[in-house]
Amino acid sequence: MQIEKYKIDEANHQLSDKHQSKFDYVAADINNLDEVMQKLGAFNITIPSWALGTGGTRFGRFSGGGEPRSLEEKIEDVGVIHALNKSSDSISLHIPWDIPSNADAIKALAAQNGLRFDAVNSNTFQDQKDQAHSYKYGSLHHVDKAVRKQAVDHNIEVIKYGIELGSNALSVWLADGSNFPGQLNFRNAFQNTLESLQEIYEALPDDWKVWVEYKPYEPNFYSTTIGDWGQSLLLANKLGSKASTLVDLGHHLPNTNIEQIVSLLLMEGKLAGFHFNDSKYGDDDLTVGSINPYQLFLIFNELVEGMDARGMTHSKDLGWMIDASHNVKDPIEDLIQSVEAIKIAYAQALIVDTVALREAQLSNDVAKAQEILQEAYRTDVRPLVAEARLRTGGALNPLAAYRSLDVRKNLISERGEKTVATGL
Ligand code: RM4
Ligand code: MN
Ligand code: MN
């Protein structure tokens, strides 16, 4: 289903007076308004192909109806999101959940929907039918060279799919770890992982990157071989300049200071980008900004400051992606909310008075420093985000437009009530 632009314009028309007065009010106080609007307009967040269906837990899965049945339908769903918010111009594929068997046709469909392909993801955390060796005891870290080779070959195959689609990064997340003390020799597991990643690294085209994701636990509950940012950074440094560390917000133990991790990875030029989600306890994969929006703002504050310090372009120089799972909400609604939360945090970070903050830091004026950050965080920037969307052709209120246009109802009538998408 494609959303015609005139329908979005009609929806916008009804909201336009109210929006204008809210925008004028907040804009009057923003010194760098043009710059903020330009940056917000350029900022896009990739949608993962595995998040367009209803997720599940190990206890069950409750499908919502009209789920995409194929990669083509997933691309159409991202097209819907992008038509509404003009901030989701790309899709990230997980192989083999989504195999682009006809790359040219898939690319053409994506282009029709205004989309490109972001990082491709390998999957060595599940066994596939007809696979010679099992990943029960890990993949790139496995004690058996034949298993490692199979996992390396899979990653190289994923790179090949990515090349066909015009993507330029491979994202690697490993479930490799151990469940009990004594199960693994940590050093050997790490060395095996490094050697395997080196083989994958060798297969990267010149302009490609490999992003090494970390996670402290789950599915293994005693150790994970790439368990934290230190272990990921160690690997990335040993691999070389094409390798960097990917931060998934849910992959930290509770209360970890993620913004500090982000700041230092950026300083080292080793921050690949993000998998955004939110969590209360672990890798909960909840809607971005639904639990801890202040943390998200603090992360963006470090991102803006750190990227500016290195002369980076916010919209292009890091990978921005959602990695979430939706158990009870309509996945498209959830993704629209997530993108909105990210853009709000970004907008808030863009209006931080950085000069005053620096002065407060240098004079140890702790209260002032806190005030400066909270001044930005407590500003209602939603009209700025909405205006940027309006200027780029999107809906003033994407979620309301999605509902008033009855998109899900249409998808259910096209695809059926009982469809199940591949993915989480
Ligand atoms: C993992 C990790 C990966 C994602 C899979 C589906 O927990 O976050 O990034 O590819 O889930
Ligand atoms: Mn992730
Ligand atoms: Mn995860």
Side-chain angles (χ1 to χ4, degrees), residues 48 50 94 97 121-123 125 171-174 213-215 217-219 246 248 251 275 277 283 285 321 323-324 423-424:
W50 59 98
H94 224 302
W97 288 338
N121 303 259
S122 57
N123 179 342
F125 48 88
S171 190
V172 179
W173 173 70
L174 303 177
E213 193 173 349
Y214 58 90
K215 178 170 174 172
Y217 71 94
E218 197 207 15
L246 180 78
D248 181 313
H251 293 192
H275 279 182
N277 47 54
D283 189 25
D285 279 337
M321 194 172 111
D323 184 6
L424 285 172

Side-chain angles (χ1 to χ4, degrees), residues 105-375:
I106 289 292
K107 257 170 99 170
L109 178 66
Q112 259 172 45
N113 284 275
L115 307 176
R116 59 179 182 82
F117 291 90
D118 203 334
V120 278
N121 303 259
S122 57
N123 179 342
T124 59
F125 48 88
Q126 289 172 325
D127 284 349
Q128 308 300 329
K129 278 202 290 319
D130 311 326
Q131 181 177 306
H133 305 283
S134 171
Y135 296 133
K136 179 170 178 181
Y137 300 107
S139 57
L140 298 186
H141 88 170
H142 204 281
V143 289
D144 181 348
K145 171 92 184 147
V147 183
R148 301 203 293 275
K149 182 169 186 318
Q150 175 182 281
V152 167
D153 289 347
H154 166 69
N155 276 276
I156 294 174
E157 195 193 350
V158 173
I159 295 172
K160 292 205 177 106
Y161 283 124
I163 294 171
E164 288 179 6
L165 295 172
S167 153
N168 61 7
L170 169 72
S171 190
V172 179
W173 173 70
L174 303 177
D176 297 13
S178 68
N179 259 308
F180 297 98
Q183 184 184 334
L184 269 187
N185 177 301
F186 295 137
R187 225 175 34 240
N188 290 348
F190 187 88
Q191 287 295 351
N192 285 342
T193 306
L194 174 61
E195 277 167 30
S196 305
L197 284 171
Q198 275 163 340
E199 287 175 38
I200 297 166
Y201 191 94
E202 289 306 311
L204 290 172
D206 287 345
D207 58 340
W208 270 59
K209 307 261 180 252
V210 58
W211 299 344
V212 183
E213 193 173 349
Y214 58 90
K215 178 170 174 172
Y217 71 94
E218 197 207 15
N220 278 289
F221 294 102
Y222 173 62
S223 73
T224 299
T225 297
I226 312 179
D228 66 16
W229 71 285
Q231 291 153 9
S232 167
L233 180 60
L234 201 56
L235 289 166
N237 278 337
K238 286 176 190 285
L239 286 167
S241 60
K242 293 179 188 169
S244 48
T245 295
L246 180 78
V247 176
D248 181 313
L249 295 185
H251 293 192
H252 300 90
L253 297 174
N255 302 325
T256 300
N257 187 334
I258 303 175
E259 54 271 28
Q260 189 177 11
I261 295 173
V262 165
S263 163
L264 298 190
L265 285 174
L266 250 181
M267 178 182 80
E268 292 296 294
K270 282 293 190 184
L271 180 63
F274 282 83
H275 279 182
F276 290 108
N277 47 54
D278 211 342
S279 59
K280 178 102 180 130
Y281 304 106
D283 189 25
D284 306 344
D285 279 337
L286 299 175
T287 319
V288 185
S290 62
I291 303 285
N292 197 347
Y294 190 50
Q295 181 191 51
L296 186 65
F297 158 72
L298 294 174
I299 290 168
F300 266 99
N301 180 51
E302 294 303 331
L303 282 168
V304 167
E305 198 266 345
M307 290 184 86
D308 288 350
R310 295 180 67 89
M312 295 166 78
T313 305
H314 300 172
S315 59
K316 290 205 311 254
D317 290 350
L318 290 180
W320 308 110
M321 194 172 111
I322 291 172
D323 184 6
S325 169
H326 330 281
N327 296 331
V328 293
K329 286 194 228 163
D330 173 335
I332 294 182
E333 293 200 350
D334 196 323
L335 289 162
I336 289 172
Q337 290 180 313
S338 279
V339 173
E340 183 71 3
I342 292 167
K343 296 201 79 164
I344 288 171
Y346 178 45
Q348 289 164 334
L350 288 173
I351 62 168
V352 169
D353 186 343
T354 45
V355 176
L357 182 61
R358 184 94 189 113
E359 275 168 22
Q361 289 168 343
L362 291 175
S363 56
N364 292 310
D365 190 342
V366 184
K368 183 75 191 292
Q370 179 190 332
E371 285 298 299
I372 291 164
L373 285 190
Q374 293 192 340
E375 171 71 22

Side-chain angles (χ1 to χ4, degrees), residues 5-62:
K5 175 76 171 70
Y6 81 92
K7 291 196 176 154
I8 293 177
D9 293 341
E10 274 172 17
N12 286 345
H13 188 66
Q14 288 168 14
L15 302 174
S16 129
D17 288 353
K18 212 166 163 201
H19 163 70
Q20 194 61 46
S21 61
K22 284 187 186 169
F23 175 71
D24 292 343
Y25 177 78
V26 56
D29 263 349
I30 312 277
N31 302 327
N32 53 345
L33 183 67
D34 289 345
E35 186 197 330
V36 170
M37 297 310 295
Q38 182 274 322
K39 287 183 173 160
L40 283 175
F43 201 74
N44 277 267
I45 298 108
T46 302
I47 305 294
S49 68
W50 59 98
L52 294 154
T54 315
T57 68
R58 65 187 188 276
F59 300 104
R61 177 168 174 164
F62 305 95

Side-chain angles (χ1 to χ4, degrees), residues 56-75:
T57 68
R58 65 187 188 276
F59 300 104
R61 177 168 174 164
F62 305 95
S63 166
E67 287 191 15
R69 294 162 296 182
S70 60
L71 176 55
E72 286 79 357
E73 290 183 350
K74 290 181 179 185
I75 290 172

